[in-house]
Amino acid sequence: MPTPLDTPAATAADMPPHALWRGDRVHKRVYTDPAIFELEMDRVFGQAWLYVGHESQVPRTGDYFTTRLGREPVVMLRHSDGEVHVLYNRCPHKGAKIVPDGSGSAGKFLRCLYHGWTFKCDGSLLSVPLRSGYEDTSLDLKDPQNGVRRLARVATYRGFVFASMAAEGPSLPDFLGGVATSLDNFCDRAPEGEVEVAGGVQRVIQRNNWKIFFENLHDTVHAVATHESSWRAAKEEYASMPEGTPKPFEIVIVDGNGEPLEFWEKLELKGYDGGHGYMEGIFTPPQDPVSLAYVAALEASQGATRADEILRVNRHNTIVYPSCSPHTSFQQIRVIRPLAVDRTLVEIFTFRLKGAPDSTFQRALKYTNVVNSPSSNVMPDDLEAYNRVQEGLGSDGGDWVSLQRAAGRDQSLPGGCSSNGNSEMPMRNMFRAWAGYMAPKGQA
Ligand code: FES
Ligand SMILES: [Fe+2]
């Protein structure tokens, strides 16, 4: 029977999501059609809470950090009352970006480089050259609406700043649901209970749709095939070391991808409402001096029982859909910024655990560099796979993408579901959320 997709006249805007997503399969247009991408910018990114950055990136009054939410350039900055604000990076006069892309200090107030309008760091208008020229005109400079526009909603969860372009919707804790525990554990692992961004940012522009990256975060079945060159090299390197050599950290985190499918099958995957989820941890840090010094610092601060409780929460990638993926045990957040239907920017931030030895931070950086940075031995394998998917989907070789593995076997849990490690449940769970966002109002 023909579907609306078979009708060339169908436009993305009136296409019902069930025409594109059928529970256990999805139409290729969700990855390749620029009209669908534009609709996602409005309906997914225009509604969800999106990760902006961490409070530690703007420690002092006037400090700013720019990023992009959906297609909107925004700036996160610290106001003189200590509060962190998120504003559209757009001057109300003629539209210039108020601050240049990147991060830095604006001083006590923001001053637009074009005609010198100035604003407080909460966006409110402070002064305008030739103010008298606006008297008795249609522009009321006393109207707070004429400052730099704020995002509709901004909220912080343990220092992680999120914003939403929608005035209405669930609170941030309700939105995060079951994955709030990953952000908790991210911070609880710090002896002082707080984290801070350190070590700059690494950026990768991927030649693929943003959803392909998200899907891979919990795709355990790809590891042994896609990463064969790196896990095999790591195993060979270790085999060449003298017998009894403790396995170096770099090898632990690379050769793990060579585990057989039975290993991944036993891991638990959790999927929560909103498309979020996490995968049980796959690495056990080696019992080397770096790990032992860290555990000692955590125990000194929290006591042995609480430290043990914190460290037992061992998770691999967490998905906070649709904007970021924290890795709690090696302190990094990957931020996903869709640029076009086939271009995605991923920014990788590494964090320092306050109160932990510096070697713990160096280890987190090592994890980022070895596994996820642009120069990693592992990430290029994934990038090649993502690009092949993007290019293959652009062909006439088929219309549907399979999400069928272990469909119908998900176990329900409060606010979501769980499955074994080789299930495609996380992909189905993300598309459930996607379809809810994409449905025309009243049809979710
Ligand atoms: S564009 Fe900003 S002051 Fe004119
Ligand atoms: Fe991978």
Side-chain angles (χ1 to χ4, degrees), residues 172-189:
L172 179 59
D174 286 350
F175 170 84
L176 292 170
V179 291
T181 54
S182 288
L183 296 181
D184 286 332
N185 188 249
F186 201 112
C187 301
D188 291 345
R189 282 174 172 260

PDB file of all heavy atoms in Angstrom, residues 172-189:
ATOM      1  N   LEU A 172      13.654  21.130  33.835  1.00  0.00           N
ATOM      2  CA  LEU A 172      14.885  20.420  33.468  1.00  0.00           C
ATOM      3  C   LEU A 172      15.002  19.068  34.189  1.00  0.00           C
ATOM      4  O   LEU A 172      15.288  18.055  33.534  1.00  0.00           O
ATOM      5  CB  LEU A 172      16.113  21.302  33.722  1.00  0.00           C
ATOM      6  CG  LEU A 172      17.456  20.651  33.392  1.00  0.00           C
ATOM      7  CD1 LEU A 172      17.542  20.234  31.923  1.00  0.00           C
ATOM      8  CD2 LEU A 172      18.616  21.589  33.742  1.00  0.00           C
ATOM      9  N   PRO A 173      14.768  18.971  35.506  1.00  0.00           N
ATOM     10  CA  PRO A 173      14.865  17.639  36.151  1.00  0.00           C
ATOM     11  C   PRO A 173      13.874  16.647  35.552  1.00  0.00           C
ATOM     12  O   PRO A 173      14.214  15.472  35.371  1.00  0.00           O
ATOM     13  CB  PRO A 173      14.553  17.928  37.623  1.00  0.00           C
ATOM     14  CG  PRO A 173      14.898  19.373  37.802  1.00  0.00           C
ATOM     15  CD  PRO A 173      14.577  20.036  36.496  1.00  0.00           C
ATOM     16  N   ASP A 174      12.656  17.099  35.243  1.00  0.00           N
ATOM     17  CA  ASP A 174      11.686  16.180  34.635  1.00  0.00           C
ATOM     18  C   ASP A 174      12.146  15.751  33.246  1.00  0.00           C
ATOM     19  O   ASP A 174      11.964  14.598  32.835  1.00  0.00           O
ATOM     20  CB  ASP A 174      10.299  16.833  34.527  1.00  0.00           C
ATOM     21  CG  ASP A 174       9.623  16.905  35.887  1.00  0.00           C
ATOM     22  OD1 ASP A 174      10.144  16.298  36.841  1.00  0.00           O
ATOM     23  OD2 ASP A 174       8.585  17.592  35.990  1.00  0.00           O
ATOM     24  N   PHE A 175      12.717  16.679  32.512  1.00  0.00           N
ATOM     25  CA  PHE A 175      13.225  16.367  31.171  1.00  0.00           C
ATOM     26  C   PHE A 175      14.342  15.329  31.259  1.00  0.00           C
ATOM     27  O   PHE A 175      14.368  14.364  30.499  1.00  0.00           O
ATOM     28  CB  PHE A 175      13.746  17.648  30.519  1.00  0.00           C
ATOM     29  CG  PHE A 175      14.520  17.445  29.243  1.00  0.00           C
ATOM     30  CD1 PHE A 175      13.870  17.307  28.020  1.00  0.00           C
ATOM     31  CD2 PHE A 175      15.913  17.400  29.256  1.00  0.00           C
ATOM     32  CE1 PHE A 175      14.590  17.122  26.845  1.00  0.00           C
ATOM     33  CE2 PHE A 175      16.636  17.213  28.083  1.00  0.00           C
ATOM     34  CZ  PHE A 175      15.971  17.070  26.882  1.00  0.00           C
ATOM     35  N   LEU A 176      15.266  15.501  32.205  1.00  0.00           N
ATOM     36  CA  LEU A 176      16.418  14.589  32.307  1.00  0.00           C
ATOM     37  C   LEU A 176      15.989  13.197  32.774  1.00  0.00           C
ATOM     38  O   LEU A 176      16.564  12.190  32.342  1.00  0.00           O
ATOM     39  CB  LEU A 176      17.466  15.154  33.274  1.00  0.00           C
ATOM     40  CG  LEU A 176      18.186  16.422  32.821  1.00  0.00           C
ATOM     41  CD1 LEU A 176      19.012  17.002  33.971  1.00  0.00           C
ATOM     42  CD2 LEU A 176      19.082  16.144  31.613  1.00  0.00           C
ATOM     43  N   GLY A 177      14.984  13.147  33.639  1.00  0.00           N
ATOM     44  CA  GLY A 177      14.474  11.850  34.109  1.00  0.00           C
ATOM     45  C   GLY A 177      15.610  10.971  34.624  1.00  0.00           C
ATOM     46  O   GLY A 177      16.449  11.401  35.416  1.00  0.00           O
ATOM     47  N   GLY A 178      15.665   9.737  34.116  1.00  0.00           N
ATOM     48  CA  GLY A 178      16.612   8.744  34.627  1.00  0.00           C
ATOM     49  C   GLY A 178      18.070   9.056  34.371  1.00  0.00           C
ATOM     50  O   GLY A 178      18.943   8.477  35.028  1.00  0.00           O
ATOM     51  N   VAL A 179      18.390   9.941  33.416  1.00  0.00           N
ATOM     52  CA  VAL A 179      19.814  10.208  33.180  1.00  0.00           C
ATOM     53  C   VAL A 179      20.360  11.345  34.049  1.00  0.00           C
ATOM     54  O   VAL A 179      21.550  11.642  33.989  1.00  0.00           O
ATOM     55  CB  VAL A 179      20.160  10.467  31.687  1.00  0.00           C
ATOM     56  CG1 VAL A 179      20.007   9.194  30.887  1.00  0.00           C
ATOM     57  CG2 VAL A 179      19.372  11.613  31.109  1.00  0.00           C
ATOM     58  N   ALA A 180      19.498  11.937  34.881  1.00  0.00           N
ATOM     59  CA  ALA A 180      20.028  12.906  35.855  1.00  0.00           C
ATOM     60  C   ALA A 180      21.052  12.204  36.751  1.00  0.00           C
ATOM     61  O   ALA A 180      22.022  12.817  37.201  1.00  0.00           O
ATOM     62  CB  ALA A 180      18.888  13.483  36.689  1.00  0.00           C
ATOM     63  N   THR A 181      20.856  10.894  36.977  1.00  0.00           N
ATOM     64  CA  THR A 181      21.793  10.156  37.838  1.00  0.00           C
ATOM     65  C   THR A 181      23.198  10.105  37.225  1.00  0.00           C
ATOM     66  O   THR A 181      24.189   9.985  37.942  1.00  0.00           O
ATOM     67  CB  THR A 181      21.291   8.724  38.102  1.00  0.00           C
ATOM     68  OG1 THR A 181      21.045   8.086  36.841  1.00  0.00           O
ATOM     69  CG2 THR A 181      20.010   8.727  38.925  1.00  0.00           C
ATOM     70  N   SER A 182      23.283  10.183  35.894  1.00  0.00           N
ATOM     71  CA  SER A 182      24.620  10.214  35.276  1.00  0.00           C
ATOM     72  C   SER A 182      25.315  11.546  35.571  1.00  0.00           C
ATOM     73  O   SER A 182      26.526  11.582  35.835  1.00  0.00           O
ATOM     74  CB  SER A 182      24.530  10.025  33.754  1.00  0.00           C
ATOM     75  OG  SER A 182      24.198   8.694  33.432  1.00  0.00           O
ATOM     76  N   LEU A 183      24.548  12.632  35.528  1.00  0.00           N
ATOM     77  CA  LEU A 183      25.154  13.938  35.841  1.00  0.00           C
ATOM     78  C   LEU A 183      25.514  13.990  37.334  1.00  0.00           C
ATOM     79  O   LEU A 183      26.531  14.579  37.710  1.00  0.00           O
ATOM     80  CB  LEU A 183      24.213  15.080  35.456  1.00  0.00           C
ATOM     81  CG  LEU A 183      23.908  15.189  33.952  1.00  0.00           C
ATOM     82  CD1 LEU A 183      22.978  16.362  33.670  1.00  0.00           C
ATOM     83  CD2 LEU A 183      25.197  15.338  33.133  1.00  0.00           C
ATOM     84  N   ASP A 184      24.691  13.360  38.167  1.00  0.00           N
ATOM     85  CA  ASP A 184      25.019  13.290  39.601  1.00  0.00           C
ATOM     86  C   ASP A 184      26.337  12.552  39.797  1.00  0.00           C
ATOM     87  O   ASP A 184      27.233  13.026  40.487  1.00  0.00           O
ATOM     88  CB  ASP A 184      23.912  12.545  40.365  1.00  0.00           C
ATOM     89  CG  ASP A 184      22.664  13.396  40.531  1.00  0.00           C
ATOM     90  OD1 ASP A 184      22.787  14.630  40.554  1.00  0.00           O
ATOM     91  OD2 ASP A 184      21.560  12.812  40.624  1.00  0.00           O
ATOM     92  N   ASN A 185      26.444  11.382  39.151  1.00  0.00           N
ATOM     93  CA  ASN A 185      27.653  10.582  39.348  1.00  0.00           C
ATOM     94  C   ASN A 185      28.882  11.287  38.777  1.00  0.00           C
ATOM     95  O   ASN A 185      29.991  11.179  39.321  1.00  0.00           O
ATOM     96  CB  ASN A 185      27.472   9.196  38.724  1.00  0.00           C
ATOM     97  CG  ASN A 185      28.612   8.258  39.075  1.00  0.00           C
ATOM     98  OD1 ASN A 185      29.414   7.890  38.240  1.00  0.00           O
ATOM     99  ND2 ASN A 185      28.713   7.892  40.351  1.00  0.00           N
ATOM    100  N   PHE A 186      28.692  12.041  37.697  1.00  0.00           N
ATOM    101  CA  PHE A 186      29.766  12.836  37.086  1.00  0.00           C
ATOM    102  C   PHE A 186      30.379  13.741  38.158  1.00  0.00           C
ATOM    103  O   PHE A 186      31.604  13.849  38.280  1.00  0.00           O
ATOM    104  CB  PHE A 186      29.149  13.685  35.949  1.00  0.00           C
ATOM    105  CG  PHE A 186      30.103  14.172  34.907  1.00  0.00           C
ATOM    106  CD1 PHE A 186      30.040  13.694  33.604  1.00  0.00           C
ATOM    107  CD2 PHE A 186      31.046  15.146  35.190  1.00  0.00           C
ATOM    108  CE1 PHE A 186      30.891  14.155  32.604  1.00  0.00           C
ATOM    109  CE2 PHE A 186      31.903  15.626  34.213  1.00  0.00           C
ATOM    110  CZ  PHE A 186      31.821  15.126  32.917  1.00  0.00           C
ATOM    111  N   CYS A 187      29.513  14.371  38.967  1.00  0.00           N
ATOM    112  CA  CYS A 187      29.995  15.305  39.999  1.00  0.00           C
ATOM    113  C   CYS A 187      30.374  14.584  41.287  1.00  0.00           C
ATOM    114  O   CYS A 187      31.357  14.947  41.947  1.00  0.00           O
ATOM    115  CB  CYS A 187      28.915  16.343  40.311  1.00  0.00           C
ATOM    116  SG  CYS A 187      28.429  17.299  38.879  1.00  0.00           S
ATOM    117  N   ASP A 188      29.597  13.559  41.653  1.00  0.00           N
ATOM    118  CA  ASP A 188      29.884  12.837  42.899  1.00  0.00           C
ATOM    119  C   ASP A 188      31.280  12.220  42.875  1.00  0.00           C
ATOM    120  O   ASP A 188      31.883  11.993  43.929  1.00  0.00           O
ATOM    121  CB  ASP A 188      28.858  11.717  43.125  1.00  0.00           C
ATOM    122  CG  ASP A 188      27.475  12.272  43.450  1.00  0.00           C
ATOM    123  OD1 ASP A 188      27.375  13.468  43.783  1.00  0.00           O
ATOM    124  OD2 ASP A 188      26.492  11.499  43.351  1.00  0.00           O
ATOM    125  N   ARG A 189      31.783  11.925  41.694  1.00  0.00           N
ATOM    126  CA  ARG A 189      33.115  11.330  41.597  1.00  0.00           C
ATOM    127  C   ARG A 189      34.219  12.303  42.016  1.00  0.00           C
ATOM    128  O   ARG A 189      35.361  11.904  42.217  1.00  0.00           O
ATOM    129  CB  ARG A 189      33.364  10.828  40.169  1.00  0.00           C
ATOM    130  CG  ARG A 189      32.657   9.509  39.912  1.00  0.00           C
ATOM    131  CD  ARG A 189      32.760   9.047  38.483  1.00  0.00           C
ATOM    132  NE  ARG A 189      32.230   7.700  38.366  1.00  0.00           N
ATOM    133  CZ  ARG A 189      32.960   6.578  38.313  1.00  0.00           C
ATOM    134  NH1 ARG A 189      34.271   6.653  38.301  1.00  0.00           N
ATOM    135  NH2 ARG A 189      32.393   5.399  38.242  1.00  0.00           N
TER     136      ARG A 189
END
